[in-house]
Amino acid sequence: MKSINFIGSGDYHHITYSIISNIPYEFSLIVFDNHCDCNDMPNGTISCGSWITQASKLPNIYKILVLGVSKINAKCLNKNITFLEYNENFLKKALSLLKSFSISKVYISIDKDVLDPKYAITNWDQGKMKLSELLYILNYIKEKYTIIGIDVSGESKPYNPLSLILPREIKLNQEANLKILNSIMMN
């Protein structure tokens, strides 16, 4: 694995686009996110809510798989992107989709808003994924593919600049970050 980047709040998830657009070879992009992140933006702009659409246009991306979304927006349907909603059969369906990848190199982008608030607290509405499910899928990917890079977003930030992030939120997010890091780094 080349790198793992912790990029802060989900407000900055579009930084992933900058990272992956510079990869000089073909790979697949696996995203864990509660949102589709495929909104339309004026030409030449990108945001945390539009970066996946922009990424689907990159010539170096073979396939995009977005895992754990709470609701697939109809305007997000794109032949280059596969979305999998989080539901009772999620883990089985996710592993099945991952088995269909025919390219060995993958980049992983994790927005912790995909997780149930029991496991991380973000400043966006959150999904229902268990941290154990995320880690299981990461371990599966690590065994089957070459991970060329990872980024993690979804840190909590104050809604009001004058307020403070609660220590409990910091501790919970740090525990999730360490478990993700350990899952990827351990042999």
Side-chain angles (χ1 to χ4, degrees):
M1 178 179 57
K2 298 243 184 220
S3 68
I4 183 164
N5 297 291
F6 290 87
I7 56 178
S9 157
D11 295 346
Y12 304 108
H13 201 181
H14 61 287
I15 290 173
T16 301
Y17 177 84
S18 295
I19 296 168
I20 63 175
S21 64
N22 292 311
I23 297 172
Y25 45 82
E26 194 173 56
F27 65 96
S28 290
L29 173 62
I30 301 169
V31 181
F32 294 85
D33 203 318
N34 187 46
H35 306 95
C36 293
D37 288 359
C38 59
N39 296 320
D40 292 327
M41 292 293 290
N43 194 21
T45 60
I46 189 168
S47 74
C48 63
S50 70
W51 76 271
I52 290 178
T53 299
Q54 296 302 317
S56 72
K57 299 172 186 173
L58 290 171
N60 56 340
I61 294 187
Y62 174 73
K63 189 179 231 181
I64 299 176
L65 177 59
V66 183
L67 299 171
V69 295
S70 60
K71 187 172 111 177
I72 298 172
N73 192 332
K75 68 180 175 180
C76 292
L77 299 179
N78 178 322
K79 65 182 170 96
N80 299 324
I81 309 169
T82 301
F83 293 97
L84 180 62
E85 286 185 78
Y86 185 83
N87 57 35
E88 65 278 352
N89 297 319
F90 170 76
L91 194 55
K92 182 178 177 181
K93 289 179 183 176
L95 295 177
S96 177
L97 283 170
L98 287 166
K99 288 177 186 175
S100 72
F101 274 32
S102 61
I103 195 160
S104 65
K105 293 179 174 80
V106 298
Y107 185 95
I108 301 169
S109 183
I110 302 167
D111 187 334
K112 288 186 300 197
D113 70 13
V114 76
L115 294 170
D116 186 286
K118 287 188 262 187
Y119 308 104
I121 298 173
T122 72
N123 59 310
W124 292 90
D125 61 305
Q126 289 187 236
K128 303 277 186 226
M129 188 181 295
K130 296 175 185 150
L131 182 58
S132 61
E133 293 170 316
L134 171 64
L135 298 176
Y136 186 87
I137 295 170
L138 289 176
N139 283 320
Y140 176 85
I141 294 168
K142 186 171 74 172
E143 290 175 13
K144 302 289 183 190
Y145 302 100
T146 301
I147 299 172
I148 59 172
I150 298 174
D151 65 62
V152 181
S153 65
E155 295 309 310
S156 184
K157 70 175 199 167
Y159 291 99
N160 176 341
L162 300 176
S163 69
L164 298 174
I165 299 173
L166 301 175
R168 182 182 76 77
E169 293 175 7
I170 294 170
K171 184 176 188 278
L172 192 62
N173 286 344
Q174 189 63 14
E175 287 172 2
N177 288 341
L178 289 172
K179 287 179 180 178
I180 290 167
L181 184 61
N182 286 335
S183 175
I184 293 302
M185 301 308 286
M186 300 300 279
N187 290 332

